[in-house]
CSV table of all heavy atoms in Angstrom, one decimal:
chain,number,residue,atom,x,y,z
A,842,ALA,N,37.4,13.1,9.3
A,842,ALA,CA,36.2,12.3,9.3
A,842,ALA,C,35.5,12.5,8.0
A,842,ALA,O,35.3,13.6,7.5
A,842,ALA,CB,35.4,12.8,10.5
A,858,ALA,N,8.2,-2.1,4.8
A,858,ALA,CA,6.9,-2.4,4.2
A,858,ALA,C,7.1,-3.5,3.2
A,858,ALA,O,6.3,-4.4,3.1
A,858,ALA,CB,6.2,-1.2,3.7
A,860,GLN,N,9.4,-5.7,3.0
A,860,GLN,CA,9.7,-7.0,3.7
A,860,GLN,C,8.5,-7.7,4.2
A,860,GLN,O,8.3,-8.9,4.0
A,860,GLN,CB,10.7,-6.7,4.9
A,860,GLN,CG,12.1,-6.5,4.5
A,860,GLN,CD,13.0,-6.3,5.7
A,860,GLN,OE1,12.6,-5.8,6.7
A,860,GLN,NE2,14.2,-6.8,5.6
A,864,LYS,N,6.8,-11.3,2.6
A,864,LYS,CA,6.7,-12.5,3.3
A,864,LYS,C,5.6,-13.4,2.8
A,864,LYS,O,5.7,-14.7,2.9
A,864,LYS,CB,6.4,-12.2,4.8
A,864,LYS,CG,7.6,-11.7,5.6
A,864,LYS,CD,7.3,-11.4,7.0
A,864,LYS,CE,8.5,-10.8,7.7
A,864,LYS,NZ,8.1,-10.5,9.1
A,866,TYR,N,4.9,-14.0,-0.3
A,866,TYR,CA,5.1,-14.3,-1.8
A,866,TYR,C,4.7,-15.7,-2.1
A,866,TYR,O,4.0,-16.0,-3.1
A,866,TYR,CB,6.5,-13.9,-2.1
A,866,TYR,CG,6.9,-14.5,-3.5
A,866,TYR,CD1,6.4,-13.9,-4.7
A,866,TYR,CD2,7.7,-15.6,-3.7
A,866,TYR,CE1,6.7,-14.4,-5.9
A,866,TYR,CE2,8.0,-16.1,-4.9
A,866,TYR,CZ,7.5,-15.5,-6.0
A,866,TYR,OH,7.8,-16.0,-7.3
A,869,LEU,N,1.0,-16.4,-2.1
A,869,LEU,CA,0.4,-15.7,-3.3
A,869,LEU,C,0.7,-16.5,-4.6
A,869,LEU,O,-0.2,-16.6,-5.4
A,869,LEU,CB,0.8,-14.3,-3.4
A,869,LEU,CG,0.3,-13.4,-2.3
A,869,LEU,CD1,1.0,-12.0,-2.4
A,869,LEU,CD2,-1.2,-13.2,-2.3
A,870,LEU,N,1.9,-17.0,-4.7
A,870,LEU,CA,2.3,-17.8,-5.8
A,870,LEU,C,1.5,-19.1,-5.9
A,870,LEU,O,1.0,-19.6,-6.9
A,870,LEU,CB,3.8,-18.1,-5.8
A,870,LEU,CG,4.3,-18.7,-7.1
A,870,LEU,CD1,4.1,-17.7,-8.3
A,870,LEU,CD2,5.8,-19.0,-6.9
A,873,ALA,N,-2.0,-18.4,-7.1
A,873,ALA,CA,-1.9,-18.2,-8.6
A,873,ALA,C,-1.9,-19.6,-9.2
A,873,ALA,O,-2.6,-19.8,-10.3
A,873,ALA,CB,-0.7,-17.4,-9.0
A,876,ALA,N,-5.4,-20.9,-9.0
A,876,ALA,CA,-6.3,-20.2,-9.9
A,876,ALA,C,-6.1,-20.7,-11.4
A,876,ALA,O,-7.0,-20.9,-12.1
A,876,ALA,CB,-6.1,-18.7,-9.8
A,886,ALA,N,-13.5,-28.8,-19.1
A,886,ALA,CA,-14.9,-29.2,-18.9
A,886,ALA,C,-15.8,-28.4,-19.9
A,886,ALA,O,-17.0,-28.6,-19.9
A,886,ALA,CB,-15.4,-28.9,-17.5
A,890,THR,N,-18.9,-19.3,-21.3
A,890,THR,CA,-18.0,-18.2,-21.5
A,890,THR,C,-17.9,-17.3,-20.3
A,890,THR,O,-16.8,-16.8,-19.9
A,890,THR,CB,-18.6,-17.3,-22.7
A,890,THR,OG1,-18.8,-18.1,-23.8
A,890,THR,CG2,-17.6,-16.2,-23.0
A,891,GLU,N,-19.0,-17.1,-19.5
A,891,GLU,CA,-18.9,-16.3,-18.3
A,891,GLU,C,-18.1,-16.9,-17.3
A,891,GLU,O,-17.3,-16.2,-16.6
A,891,GLU,CB,-20.4,-16.0,-17.8
A,891,GLU,CG,-21.2,-15.1,-18.7
A,891,GLU,CD,-21.8,-15.8,-19.8
A,891,GLU,OE1,-21.9,-17.1,-19.8
A,891,GLU,OE2,-22.2,-15.1,-20.8
A,893,LEU,N,-15.6,-19.0,-17.8
A,893,LEU,CA,-14.2,-19.0,-18.2
A,893,LEU,C,-13.7,-17.6,-18.0
A,893,LEU,O,-12.5,-17.4,-17.6
A,893,LEU,CB,-14.1,-19.4,-19.7
A,893,LEU,CG,-14.3,-20.8,-20.0
A,893,LEU,CD1,-14.2,-21.0,-21.5
A,893,LEU,CD2,-13.2,-21.7,-19.3
A,920,GLY,N,18.5,-3.9,-0.9
A,920,GLY,CA,18.9,-3.2,0.3
A,920,GLY,C,18.3,-1.9,0.5
A,920,GLY,O,17.7,-1.3,-0.4
A,927,ARG,N,20.0,5.3,-7.2
A,927,ARG,CA,19.9,4.4,-8.4
A,927,ARG,C,21.1,3.5,-8.6
A,927,ARG,O,21.0,2.4,-9.2
A,927,ARG,CB,19.6,5.2,-9.6
A,927,ARG,CG,20.7,6.1,-10.1
A,927,ARG,CD,20.3,6.9,-11.4
A,927,ARG,NE,21.4,7.8,-11.8
A,927,ARG,CZ,22.4,7.4,-12.4
A,927,ARG,NH1,22.6,6.2,-12.8
A,927,ARG,NH2,23.4,8.3,-12.7
A,934,LYS,N,21.1,-5.4,-8.4
A,934,LYS,CA,20.7,-6.3,-9.5
A,934,LYS,C,21.9,-7.2,-9.9
A,934,LYS,O,21.7,-8.3,-10.4
A,934,LYS,CB,20.2,-5.5,-10.7
A,934,LYS,CG,18.9,-5.0,-10.5
A,934,LYS,CD,18.4,-4.3,-11.8
A,934,LYS,CE,17.0,-3.7,-11.6
A,934,LYS,NZ,16.5,-3.1,-12.9
A,938,LYS,N,21.4,-12.9,-5.6
A,938,LYS,CA,20.0,-12.9,-5.1
A,938,LYS,C,19.2,-11.8,-5.9
A,938,LYS,O,18.1,-12.0,-6.2
A,938,LYS,CB,20.0,-12.6,-3.6
A,938,LYS,CG,20.3,-13.8,-2.8
A,938,LYS,CD,20.1,-13.6,-1.4
A,938,LYS,CE,18.7,-14.1,-1.1
A,938,LYS,NZ,18.4,-14.1,0.3
A,956,HIS,N,-1.1,-13.9,-20.3
A,956,HIS,CA,-2.4,-14.3,-19.9
A,956,HIS,C,-3.4,-13.3,-20.3
A,956,HIS,O,-4.5,-13.6,-20.7
A,956,HIS,CB,-2.4,-14.6,-18.4
A,956,HIS,CG,-3.8,-14.9,-17.9
A,956,HIS,ND1,-4.5,-16.0,-18.3
A,956,HIS,CD2,-4.6,-14.2,-17.1
A,956,HIS,CE1,-5.7,-16.0,-17.7
A,956,HIS,NE2,-5.8,-14.9,-17.0
A,957,ARG,N,-3.0,-12.0,-20.1
A,957,ARG,CA,-4.0,-10.9,-20.4
A,957,ARG,C,-4.3,-10.9,-21.9
A,957,ARG,O,-5.4,-10.5,-22.3
A,957,ARG,CB,-3.4,-9.6,-19.9
A,957,ARG,CG,-3.5,-9.4,-18.4
A,957,ARG,CD,-3.1,-8.0,-18.0
A,957,ARG,NE,-3.3,-7.8,-16.6
A,957,ARG,CZ,-3.0,-6.7,-16.0
A,957,ARG,NH1,-2.3,-5.8,-16.6
A,957,ARG,NH2,-3.2,-6.6,-14.7
A,963,ARG,N,-13.1,-13.1,-23.8
A,963,ARG,CA,-13.9,-11.8,-24.1
A,963,ARG,C,-15.3,-12.2,-24.2
A,963,ARG,O,-15.7,-13.1,-25.0
A,963,ARG,CB,-13.3,-11.1,-25.3
A,963,ARG,CG,-11.9,-10.8,-25.1
A,963,ARG,CD,-11.5,-9.6,-26.0
A,963,ARG,NE,-10.1,-9.4,-25.9
A,963,ARG,CZ,-9.5,-8.6,-25.1
A,963,ARG,NH1,-10.2,-7.9,-24.2
A,963,ARG,NH2,-8.2,-8.4,-25.1
A,969,VAL,N,-26.7,-2.0,-28.3
A,969,VAL,CA,-27.5,-0.8,-27.9
A,969,VAL,C,-28.9,-1.0,-28.5
A,969,VAL,O,-29.9,-0.6,-27.8
A,969,VAL,CB,-26.8,0.5,-28.5
A,969,VAL,CG1,-27.7,1.7,-28.1
A,969,VAL,CG2,-25.4,0.6,-27.9
Side-chain angles (χ1 to χ4, degrees):
Q860 284 181 326
K864 286 181 182 177
Y866 169 72
L869 293 170
L870 191 60
T890 306
E891 291 81 16
L893 288 175
R927 67 179 177 82
K934 284 184 183 181
K938 285 187 92 173
H956 173 69
R957 283 184 174 177
R963 302 205 185 267
V969 178

